[in-house]
Amino acid sequence: MEIHILGPVGLGSREGRLGLGSDKERLLLAALALDVGRPVALDTLVDRLWDSGPPPAKARESVHTYVSRIRRALRSLAAPGADGPAVTHRAHTYTLRAEPEAVDWHRYLRLADHARAVSAEGDDVRAAALMRQAERLWEGEALAGLPGVWPERVRMSLAERRRGVAAARIAIELRLGRFAEAAAELAPLVDQYPRDETLVGQLMVAHYGSGRHADALLVHQALRRALRAGFGTDPGDELSRIHAHILRRAPSRS
């Protein structure tokens, strides 16, 4: 069984996906899945489920009801005789008892960490493949469609982690000389994060390695204008080094 939070929150098995009945149930499952294996205080769950205003008078009872529905959903997907994920209750806390690998976010982190270790051992081809396997776990933004302050905060946090992993993977792809593929992926990322100097530098390298010298310089020019207009600063040392490298027409991989 799989628990999905990298996209619409829900449960999955070999037979398919199972959604939950309400936003509150999905929020509760996401809150437990992020801390899989660790107890989450009932008051914390109440705060997360009703973060836009005062909780209702019977908020705790409502949490118990949502937990019961999640338990039924988990049982409905469990293989006969198998010990699948379960939600346990103890001392005013709830815990999602499951292998971390059952949650797509934790599986994503494990694959990314494994890829970094493999890359450190010198196998960039395998590392890139592992990171692409991790990226395929995303089915949209995390906790897709769920309203509230807490879900939005989680989305932003997970998106930042994803951006860091993407930058690490693209650095590997560039070392492998996959410039055109990297440029196609980087262009929308730079549009989304136009002042991220790591991504901008990678896009410059990708364009230059693809033979698009002028495009590489234009990317640098756009960032320099934005930094000067917004902060009165220039790009940092690493970006300046990449810029000088391109101006010298030095070999792409030097």
Side-chain angles (χ1 to χ4, degrees):
M1 188 188 305
E2 298 175 343
I3 299 164
H4 300 277
I5 64 173
L6 302 182
V9 175
L11 303 171
S13 68
R14 292 178 181 177
E15 286 70 37
R17 295 285 293 268
L18 175 67
L20 297 171
S22 69
D23 284 349
K24 296 299 187 193
E25 290 168 50
R26 287 187 282 275
L27 274 169
L28 180 57
L29 178 61
L32 295 173
L34 283 166
D35 286 313
V36 62
R38 295 193 296 269
V40 183
L42 177 56
D43 287 345
T44 298
L45 294 173
V46 169
D47 289 342
R48 290 177 179 177
L49 267 62
W50 289 278
D51 61 3
S52 300
K58 296 187 177 181
R60 290 185 167 211
E61 290 84 347
S62 295
V63 170
H64 298 321
T65 298
Y66 300 141
V67 167
S68 296
R69 293 173 183 171
I70 291 171
R71 284 170 170 160
R72 281 200 301 272
L74 291 170
R75 287 195 297 269
S76 74
L77 289 179
D83 289 330
V87 179
T88 60
H89 181 212
R90 182 179 180 184
H92 305 293
T93 67
Y94 281 105
T95 304
L96 176 62
R97 298 291 182 189
E99 292 296 325
E101 287 281 299
V103 180
D104 54 5
W105 169 243
H106 294 283
R107 191 158 64 254
Y108 171 81
L109 293 177
R110 185 195 65 80
L111 284 167
D113 288 343
H114 187 197
R116 289 191 181 98
V118 167
S119 179
E121 294 169 357
D123 191 347
D124 277 346
V125 172
R126 186 169 170 234
L130 285 167
M131 284 192 169
R132 288 207 171 273
Q133 181 182 346
E135 182 62 28
R136 286 194 292 272
L137 293 173
W138 288 78
E139 300 178 332
E141 64 178 7
L143 281 59
L146 289 182
V149 176
W150 180 77
E152 183 58 28
R153 193 162 60 242
V154 170
R155 274 192 286 274
M156 291 176 62
S157 175
L158 270 57
E160 283 299 305
R161 294 285 295 276
R162 183 186 188 185
R163 177 162 45 139
V165 172
R169 176 175 52 76
I170 291 167
I172 294 171
E173 305 275 13
L174 292 173
R175 289 201 297 271
L176 292 170
R178 299 171 180 173
F179 299 115
E181 298 93 331
E185 183 175 359
L186 280 162
L189 278 174
V190 170
D191 286 343
Q192 187 177 0
Y193 305 104
R195 291 173 179 165
D196 186 318
E197 295 196 20
T198 297
L199 295 176
V200 169
Q202 288 179 332
L203 182 56
M204 290 171 65
V205 171
H207 279 329
Y208 184 57
S210 303
R212 298 166 61 184
H213 175 266
D215 287 338
L217 294 177
L218 285 172
V219 170
H220 182 269
Q221 186 180 71
L223 176 65
R224 184 173 58 186
R225 280 200 305 265
L227 290 176
R228 286 182 173 176
F231 305 102
T233 61
D234 284 320
D237 292 342
E238 177 61 15
L239 218 58
S240 297
R241 185 194 67 77
I242 295 170
H243 184 240
H245 184 95
I246 293 170
L247 288 175
R248 292 197 310 271
R249 298 291 185 109
S252 298
R253 299 197 198 187
S254 67

